[in-house]
Amino acid sequence: MYKKTQSKKVFHNLDGRFIPNVVMKPYVTMRVGGPAKGLYIPKRIRDLKESVLLCKRDKISLQPLGNGSNIIVPDKGTRKIFVKLTSPFFKKVAVCGNNITCGAGLSLNKFCNIAEKNGLGGAEFLVGIPGTIGGAIIQNAGAQQSEISDILKDIRCIDRSGNLIILMPQEAGFKYRLSSIKGLIIVSATFGLKRCKRATAQKKINRCIKERLLNQDYTAPSAGCVFKNPKTKKISAGRLIDRCGLKGARIGDAVVSCKHANFIINKGKATAKDILNLIQFIKKKVEMEEGVVLEQELEVISW
Ligand SMILES: Cc1cc2nc3c(=O)[nH]c(=O)nc-3n(C[C@H](O)[C@H](O)[C@H](O)COP(=O)(O)OP(=O)(O)OC[C@H]3O[C@@H](n4cnc5c(N)ncnc54)[C@H](O)[C@@H]3O)c2cc1C
């Protein structure tokens, strides 16, 4: 048996890559944040399972990381070890009839392109969301009135005891930008799509990209929408923030986008603290002026 204090060494012994004390800035699209205890990129499922068991034994929190497009790590960092499924094994794709099975590390853009190339429609709404299959399922990512759970057939995950389990979508508690399976590590999923002409899928993809470029802010690093749209109101979070006159509001280099008020962009040297302070400022102002308590979509990684 390994000693508890040797967990870093043991990670080095697993197949894949382990980076200790890793600064997380380059791994999140907002480009802010402090160090994590480590980042592990397993080669295959066997290594992932071993890392899960190792962390369970040593009481280390292991958090999956996709493309980091919906999270920030505080400046002081985190004691967690991130596990990133970017090795080729976790990006595999198999097309069978109208179904596509793919690894959790595959990007949503690649997934959409593969669907289109195979004459399969129904996934176009995901194009341009800069996440991975795993991150998108956990968040139930969506756009254009559709959500990833609409096209899911099953999800394969590793639980905290290292067991491989298969879930049906109805077991995952999907709601608006939410699932109940946080804590599991998604390794792959199958999607059910519909036959369509490639030209039709391509047209839809182009339309989705055009709309994104028109409405969203791609001029600086961001994590997309910071807040969820309120359930009870027919107005979006972005519109509420805009009505409070907050477009352009700034703390350090963290700025409320002038194009999309639900985006906070990093104008260069923003810190996680700047972002978090700006979030609090927006929340307070919207509650005071609009009577709405905004719920965060952006996840802040705990210590
Ligand atoms: C410019 C921009 C535009 C965006 N537009 C949209 C949009 O239109 N709609 C939308 O819904 N979102 C949007 N987002 C937000 C974000 O891209 C999505 O939430 C995306 O699904 C997050 O995926 P990720 O791989 O980056 O996850 P991460 O940010 O890396 O992680 C998010 C959560 O998922 C968990 N996770 C990641 N991988 C796994 C896994 N394999 N197993 C289990 N848990 C996992 C993480 O632990 C974390 O809790 C946008 C972001 C940006 C920057």
Side-chain angles (χ1 to χ4, degrees), residues 221-269:
S222 82
C225 288
V226 174
F227 300 102
K228 294 184 183 184
N229 289 323
K231 284 178 207 140
T232 49
K233 303 263 173 183
K234 283 205 171 114
I235 184 167
S236 69
R239 186 80 191 94
L240 285 169
I241 298 166
D242 189 10
R243 280 209 316 214
C244 292
L246 288 173
K247 276 186 172 172
R250 178 173 199 141
I251 295 183
D253 265 354
V255 180
V256 177
S257 163
C258 289
K259 192 167 179 188
H260 190 317
N262 201 3
F263 273 45
I264 292 180
I265 52 173
N266 178 356
K267 282 279 196 180
K269 291 194 175 135

Side-chain angles (χ1 to χ4, degrees), residues 27 29 63-71 82-83 85 104-105 108 125 128-143 177 181-187 212 216-218 222-225 263 297 299 301:
Y27 296 96
T29 59
Q63 173 137 7
L65 176 68
N67 195 36
S69 62
N70 203 50
I71 62 160
F82 284 102
V83 60
L85 307 184
L108 294 173
F125 68 93
I129 302 180
T132 59
I133 292 287
I137 292 175
I138 286 292
Q139 299 287 130
N140 195 15
R177 302 291 176 269
I181 54 170
K182 219 166 173 333
L184 298 176
I185 302 175
I186 299 169
V187 290
R212 268 181 190 280
Q216 299 192 340
D217 193 334
Y218 290 93
S222 82
C225 288
F263 273 45
E297 185 172 320
E299 180 182 338
I301 301 298

Side-chain angles (χ1 to χ4, degrees), residues 111-221:
F111 173 65
C112 292
N113 288 337
I114 289 164
E116 181 269 322
K117 282 205 176 92
N118 283 280
L120 293 171
E124 300 86 354
F125 68 93
L126 292 170
V127 80
I129 302 180
T132 59
I133 292 287
I137 292 175
I138 286 292
Q139 299 287 130
N140 195 15
Q144 315 271 335
Q145 285 80 50
S146 297
E147 295 172 331
I148 196 164
S149 54
D150 298 340
I151 53 170
L152 253 182
K153 289 197 97 169
D154 63 45
I155 316 157
R156 276 162 296 279
C157 317
I158 300 290
D159 71 13
R160 292 293 156 169
S161 300
N163 304 310
L164 181 67
I165 54 171
I166 302 178
L167 294 174
M168 296 295 116
Q170 55 273 24
E171 295 175 284
F174 287 115
K175 291 196 178 128
Y176 166 63
R177 302 291 176 269
L178 192 71
S179 72
S180 62
I181 54 170
K182 219 166 173 333
L184 298 176
I185 302 175
I186 299 169
V187 290
S188 66
T190 300
F191 298 90
L193 301 172
K194 286 190 185 116
R195 286 269 139 221
C196 79
K197 284 190 182 144
R198 279 191 66 182
T200 312
Q202 191 57 60
K203 241 190 212 165
K204 279 190 193 161
I205 285 177
N206 291 344
R207 203 179 56 225
C208 291
I209 293 173
K210 209 170 157 189
E211 264 188 47
R212 268 181 190 280
L213 292 175
L214 199 70
N215 298 319
Q216 299 192 340
D217 193 334
Y218 290 93
T219 59

Side-chain angles (χ1 to χ4, degrees), residues 63 70-75 77-78 80 82 139 182 226 272-273 275-276 279-280 283 296-303:
Q63 173 137 7
N70 203 50
I71 62 160
I72 59 167
V73 177
D75 299 318
T78 172
K80 293 181 179 203
F82 284 102
Q139 299 287 130
K182 219 166 173 333
V226 174
K273 197 171 172 210
I275 309 275
L276 295 174
I279 288 174
Q280 288 317 313
K283 269 187 179 168
Q296 231 167 275
E297 185 172 320
L298 175 69
E299 180 182 338
V300 182
I301 301 298
S302 62
W303 174 246

